Amino acid sequence: MTKQERMKIPRQEMPLLDELIRRGNFEEVSLGLPEALAVKEAERCLQCKKPKCVEGCPVGVLIPQFIKALREGDINESIRVMKIKNNLPAVCGRVCPQENQCEGNCILGKTGEPLAIGRLERYIGDYELRRRTCPMVKPHDTGKKVAVVGSGPAGIACAVDLGREGHKVTIFESLHSAGGVLIYGIPEFRLPKPVVHSEIDYAVQCLGIEIKTDHIIGRTITLDELLEEYDAIFIGTGAGLPNFMKIPGINYSGVMSANEFLTRINLMKAYRFPEYDTPVRIGGRIAVIGAGNVAMDSARCAVRLQKSMGMKSGEVHVIYRRSCDEVPARLEEFHHAEEEGIIFDFLTIPVEIFGDIDGNVTEIKCIRIKLGDADASGRKKPVPLANSEFTIDVDTVIMALGTSPNPVVFTNNANLRRTNKGTVVADNETGRTSRERLWAGGDVVTGSATVISAMGAGKRAAADINRFLREGDVKK
Amino acid sequence: MYTILEKQILNDAVKLMVIEAPHVARKASAGQFVIVRIDDFGERVPLTIADFDRNAGTVTIIFQEVGKSTKHLGALNAGGKLATFAGPMGHPTEIKRYGTVICVAGGVGIAPVYPIAKALKEAGNNVISIIGARNKGLLFWEERIRTVSDELIVCTDDGSYGRKAVVTEPLKEILSAKNISHVWAIGPAIMMKFVSMLTKEFNVPTVVSLNTIMIDGTGMCGGCRVLLDEGAKFVCVDGPEFDGHKIDWDSLFSRQRIYLNEERIASERWEHICNLDKAVSGDNPVRNKSLNVDKDK
């Protein structure tokens, strides 16, 4: 096939669950490419000599190689190539913001639609979940022990790479289920939980990794105690502490963090109450504050809950202080949210929440703003408009304003350097912290970011820990 | 899974269980709590630690059967298993030599007060304990509290045992008569509010232990937040003990009511399942598995 012929093939669309049907359930929305479409999509790749897509990938997946193997019909080779760099393709294919990473760099995007790299990654990831053709093998035991704190994307990526090097890895998880934000944060309709369980279980079984749930590092065991028992520690505890707006009224009943809302639904399965014991209470008029991925997840869960509770006239608003051009969520999630009937109030900032005599939230007062000059972060600064106050009647307010690292893990660890935002100071390339034998990576270092950037940090730290365990002096 | 080693029925509504959980026992201290989840369908329930034995690797919990989860827990027996037993969570009680202290406990709050009174006594304090309940049938551990107290006052609302009074009555008399350095109060929120209002009049520092709605218990959900004079705090990681004089009690009461309706639905469903099970098998109530199919779907 010539280059021109390849460029004539249109980008293959992924089948979606009907937007009216999906509003009433938690089934996965994007259904994945069937084989014929996946191979056709793979034919579009121009196999660049200097692939820009790889530069855009935080873990450096060998993209042209896995796509070449796929279109040549050697899917097992395609999976093998993928797993050199990425052990969770079925997860990443679903949740990575590809438009800002690999696909954003794709040369096809200059003149037309970029290659659907994420969809192809998901295709081979799902294939591997069903067939298990490419097991990871644990090499000879090195006799070195590593503790990984947190079983989210950073911790799992780090643990798997260390396991593949033959180190004995133990993961400590505070909740009852491994996966971190993949389990408690990202909803079923975007990332089905069996996919997460299956990817994690498979990796840890192959590599003999132990996962200790119900262990809260800082309370059950401290970092100092772990240092006595293990040769190295990786902290990948994420950013789990929800931020609330500093406005009056946040303690009214019906005001909650997106973390609470999503944890009830995803980890505790509240959408199946009373079959599952944990309930979630929402009303017919919901405001979600913020417009990142967590806000989209919350708003889309809210629509589904309203429908499944039989509400006929439910309304879900997303209140965001910037415009639709600045929405930080993954593009696909923003589009899906719009399709599902979510109302976007852009250029709007809440200033106060009101409640009734029983303490239940009743309305939220907002002001309109315009975007001014760019601030230090390069984003346009919201400027309030005079006399623009208005209120929205609400019975539920969900705050999705980002999260900070949970300080519990650092109990009695004053000498570990952290920023005034509570994040750990760690080298970007190696993950080394101010304390010897202690590495950190993912949201606990960067503040809330993406699954794949956390995985990248976990992998870079694993490489450095491996160097240290093989070459450095282990016990001082 | 964590094994229930022992079960005691303390009264009509309150049960005690000793759980095999060495990872929690090795660090447990007075004032801290655990998160318990019965099975894969269960909610995460915070329960204060009533006692622990580091050598045996056990933790004792005491709970009152009020909703579905506590009723279900109470229906389990020694040898049964719990899916989750995580902790210890929250900050331990600050134990030091204060002088003369009062430990006030209401109802099931007698359980968490015991390790605190014991630690205070061991630290050399003169410990006065006041325990109360609605009636005689709801009291327990009187002798146990007595062994760690220099003075013990027992009262019931209806006078069926001990003095006929609510706990604030003897408390007020002692505060008027003696120089008290510190007060601990654990029990129903309304009791803790009135104890705090009273001790404020006497300017005696007062610690209360809050048990608000929470999910993870690690600081992640923020559902447990309370309003203090200085702003919102999380009970799970900032508490569970707080200065009772700084708490916005009305906000706390209203947040405690959020899920009353759902609690009633779950509780009625549980009673219904128990009745069905009894009718079918005559066995002890166990969760009817047929109602919980395809759990991982």
Side-chain angles (χ1 to χ4, degrees), chain B residues 42-58:
Chain B
E43 59 183 339
R44 294 171 66 93
V45 183
L47 293 172
T48 32
I49 294 172
D51 206 355
F52 51 88
D53 183 333
R54 291 197 214 288
N55 294 326
T58 60

Side-chain angles (χ1 to χ4, degrees), chain B residues 69-104:
Chain B
S69 293
T70 42
K71 286 176 188 167
H72 188 175
L73 189 59
L76 300 177
N77 289 307
K81 305 274 186 191
L82 301 174
T84 298
F85 199 82
M89 294 175 172
H91 290 291
T93 306
E94 194 182 345
I95 301 292
K96 59 181 184 186
R97 193 163 176 175
Y98 294 93
T100 299
V101 299
I102 306 177
C103 293
V104 186

Side-chain angles (χ1 to χ4, degrees), chain A residues 224-264:
Chain A
D224 283 325
E225 287 169 319
L226 286 181
L227 278 170
E228 287 171 22
E229 205 183 323
Y230 293 87
D231 299 305
I233 299 179
F234 174 77
I235 305 172
T237 46
L241 216 60
N243 298 336
F244 286 89
M245 287 188 94
K246 303 270 184 288
I247 59 174
I250 64 144
N251 234 38
Y252 282 120
S253 298
V255 181
M256 62 185 131
S257 70
N259 262 11
E260 175 180 352
F261 184 60
L262 292 174
T263 301
R264 283 181 183 276

